Amino acid sequence: MIRRIPARTQTERSDATTARLLTAARRLFGADGYHATSIEAVASAAGVTKGAAYHHFRGKADLFRAVFTREQEAIADTLERVAAQSPDAWAALTQGTRTFLEHCLDPGFRRVVLLDGPAVLGWDGVREIECAHTLRVLSAGVRAAADAGLLVAGDLDARAQLVFGALCEGGMLLARADDPARALVGVADEARLLLGALRA
Amino acid sequence: MIRRIPARTQTERSDATTARLLTAARRLFGADGYHATSIEAVASAAGVTKGAAYHHFRGKADLFRAVFTREQEAIADTLERVAAQSPDAWAALTQGTRTFLEHCLDPGFRRVVLLDGPAVLGWDGVREIECAHTLRVLSAGVRAAADAGLLVAGDLDARAQLVFGALCEGGMLLARADDPARALVGVADEARLLLGALRA
DNA sequence: TTGACGGGCATACCCAGGGTATGTAAGTTC
DNA sequence: GAACTTACATACCCTGGGTATGCCCGTCAA
C-alpha cells in the first residue's frame, strides 16, 4: 500500500525518510499551523506511516522543533552571507534587517517561526535555538558595530534581543499589508530609524 | 455532585458562572498554557461542567479569546492611567514602557498574551484585539508625542508596532533573568534608548 | 396561581488525533 | 547463514474537543 523508499544501505533509507518527513512537515506546519496539522497527515504526505514518523522523532513537538531549527539555520546562513558581503559593520546591520524582513514575506516562515514556535517550544526553547542561529548572527553584528565604536554603551545582548523583537513584529506587520513589497520599504525605514538610536 | 451557584435571577447566575469560568481559565491558561489546559479542567475549577462552558463560550479558542481580551483591557487601563498622570507626552511614553515591562513580570500574562495568544488567535486576531486596547494606548502616546513635535517624521503606526514588538521581547527577556527586578532596569534603559531614536 | 416557554446547565456520547505496543521485512555483523 | 538490529507498518489505547439531549428552574403571560 505504501511505496517503499528504495535505498541500499539503512542510513540512506533513514536519511531519505527523515528528509521527506521534514519537507512535508515544513509544508503542512507552514500552511495550516501546528495544531491543524496531524502527524498522520505529515507522514502520509511524506509517503510513510505514523510509525515511521515516531521512529525518527519523539513526537509531534520534536518534529516541529526539527523544522523550526532548519528554518533558523537557513535564515542565519543567509544573514551571515549578507554580513560577509557588507563593506562595514553598520551596513551589515542595516542590510541584515532588510534581508530578515524580506524573509518574513514567506507565510510558512512566519507561521512556523514567529507564530507557532513560541507556543510549541516555549520561549526558552525558541530562544535556545535562536541563540545558536539568528540571534547569534545578530548579536555578532551588534558586537562588531560596538567594537568599531559605532554604538553607544549598554547591555548589548539585551539590545540585540529588543531589536530582534522589533524586527519580528515588523515582519508580521508588512505581511498584512496590501502591497507587502512596498510596505517592506516603510517598515525597513522605521527599523533603520530604531537602529539609528544605537549609534554613538 | 456539583454545587449549584445560588442566584435568584437567571442573568445573575449566568454572569456569575461566566465570571468563574473566566477566572479559572485565566489561572489555568496562565499556569499551564493553552494546550495543556482542558475545557473540563477549567469547568471543574470553576465548579461547573463542560456543558456550562460550552453554553457560554463557542469553544476552547473562544474562551481563550475572552481571557486574552480581559488581559488587554487590564493592561491598557493601567497604561492609560499612567499616561494621564505623566507631566508630558514624552514622560508618558517612557513611564508607560516601564509599566508594561513590570506587567510582564506576571508569568500568566506572558503565557497568555505573549506566547499562546498569537498561536491560538492568529496574528490578525491578536492584533485586532490589541488595536482596541494596548496598541491603541501606545499609538495614542506616540501620536501625542508627535503632535508635540517631539518625534521625527515617519509612519507612526508602524513605529508604534515595532516599539511594541521590542517591548514584548524585552518582557520575555527580563522574566528569564535571575533577578528580574534588577533586569527590568537594564531592559527599561535599553528600551528608553530605542525610544530616543524617535526624538526629533 | 398556574402553565407554557426558554435559558442555564449536567450527562452521555462521538470521534479526531497523539502516543504506544507489537509484528515483520530488510539490512548488518560475526 | 544465523543472530541481531534497524526501519518501518499495523493495530490499538486514551485524552480531550465538540455535540446532542434532557432536566431544572427562572420568567412571563393569562
Side-chain angles (χ1 to χ4, degrees):
Chain A
M1 186 215 284
I2 296 280
R3 287 193 71 82
R4 196 160 301 279
I5 299 171
R8 310 212 167 282
T9 151
Q10 291 215 74
T11 56
E12 273 175 6
R13 274 180 69 189
S14 190
D15 289 351
T17 302
T18 302
R20 295 177 60 149
L21 281 170
L22 282 175
T23 302
R26 151 71 217 227
R27 218 189 63 230
L28 295 179
F29 282 148
D32 307 330
Y34 180 80
H35 181 73
T37 300
S38 70
I39 293 265
E40 211 168 302
V42 172
S44 171
V48 293
T49 64
K50 261 171 56 171
Y54 276 96
H55 180 72
H56 291 285
F57 300 94
R58 283 203 245 176
K60 194 181 177 185
D62 191 48
L63 174 58
F64 180 85
R65 180 191 307 274
V67 170
F68 183 91
T69 303
R70 275 202 154 188
E71 289 299 304
Q72 287 286 321
E73 289 168 356
I75 177 70
D77 207 54
T78 304
L79 288 177
E80 228 159 18
R81 215 168 305 135
V82 166
Q85 290 176 352
S86 296
D88 56 53
W90 189 255
L93 276 184
T94 55
Q95 189 55 41
T97 61
R98 192 194 162 87
T99 301
F100 181 83
L101 290 177
E102 278 169 2
H103 211 88
C104 289
L105 291 178
D106 175 5
F109 176 82
R110 291 200 306 273
R111 183 87 215 198
V112 168
V113 173
L114 303 183
L115 282 182
D116 286 338
V120 175
L121 306 174
W123 198 78
D124 286 359
V126 161
R127 192 185 141 89
E128 190 183 354
I129 300 172
E130 281 173 344
C131 273
H133 301 98
T134 304
L135 217 43
R136 172 179 57 82
V137 179
L138 178 56
S139 281
V142 169
R143 212 165 298 123
D147 289 345
L150 296 172
L151 300 186
V152 299
D155 183 342
L156 293 186
D157 283 337
R159 184 173 301 175
Q161 187 89 35
L162 290 189
V163 168
F164 183 60
L167 286 182
C168 290
E169 200 72 13
M172 294 304 304
L173 185 60
L174 64 86
R176 255 182 66 91
D178 295 331
D179 183 353
R182 210 158 57 96
L184 192 147
V185 181
V187 172
D189 279 347
E190 287 294 331
R192 205 166 358 225
L193 192 64
L194 276 183
L195 277 177
L198 312 175
R199 297 201 75 154
Chain B
M1 189 216 282
I2 296 280
R3 288 192 69 83
R4 195 159 301 278
I5 299 171
R8 311 214 166 279
T9 153
Q10 291 214 76
T11 55
E12 272 175 7
R13 273 179 69 188
S14 188
D15 289 350
T17 301
T18 302
R20 296 176 60 149
L21 280 170
L22 282 175
T23 302
R26 152 71 217 228
R27 219 188 62 229
L28 294 180
F29 283 148
D32 307 329
Y34 181 79
H35 181 72
T37 301
S38 70
I39 293 266
E40 211 168 304
V42 171
S44 171
V48 293
T49 63
K50 262 170 57 171
Y54 277 96
H55 181 74
H56 292 284
F57 300 94
R58 284 203 242 175
K60 193 181 178 185
D62 191 48
L63 175 57
F64 181 84
R65 181 191 307 275
V67 171
F68 183 92
T69 302
R70 276 202 153 189
E71 290 298 305
Q72 287 287 320
E73 289 168 356
I75 177 71
D77 207 54
T78 304
L79 288 177
E80 226 159 21
R81 215 169 304 135
V82 166
Q85 290 176 351
S86 296
D88 56 53
W90 188 256
L93 276 184
T94 54
Q95 190 56 38
T97 60
R98 191 194 164 87
T99 302
F100 182 83
L101 289 176
E102 278 168 2
H103 211 88
C104 288
L105 291 178
D106 175 4
F109 177 81
R110 291 200 305 273
R111 182 87 215 199
V112 168
V113 174
L114 304 183
L115 282 182
D116 287 337
V120 175
L121 307 174
W123 198 78
D124 285 359
V126 161
R127 191 184 141 88
E128 189 183 354
I129 301 172
E130 280 173 344
C131 273
H133 300 98
T134 306
L135 217 43
R136 171 180 57 82
V137 179
L138 178 55
S139 281
V142 168
R143 210 166 300 123
D147 288 344
L150 296 172
L151 301 187
V152 299
D155 183 342
L156 293 187
D157 283 337
R159 184 173 301 175
Q161 187 89 34
L162 290 189
V163 168
F164 183 60
L167 286 183
C168 291
E169 200 73 13
M172 295 303 305
L173 185 61
L174 64 85
R176 253 183 68 91
D178 295 332
D179 183 354
R182 209 157 58 96
L184 192 146
V185 180
V187 173
D189 280 347
E190 287 294 331
R192 203 164 1 224
L193 192 64
L194 277 183
L195 277 178
L198 312 175
R199 297 201 74 153

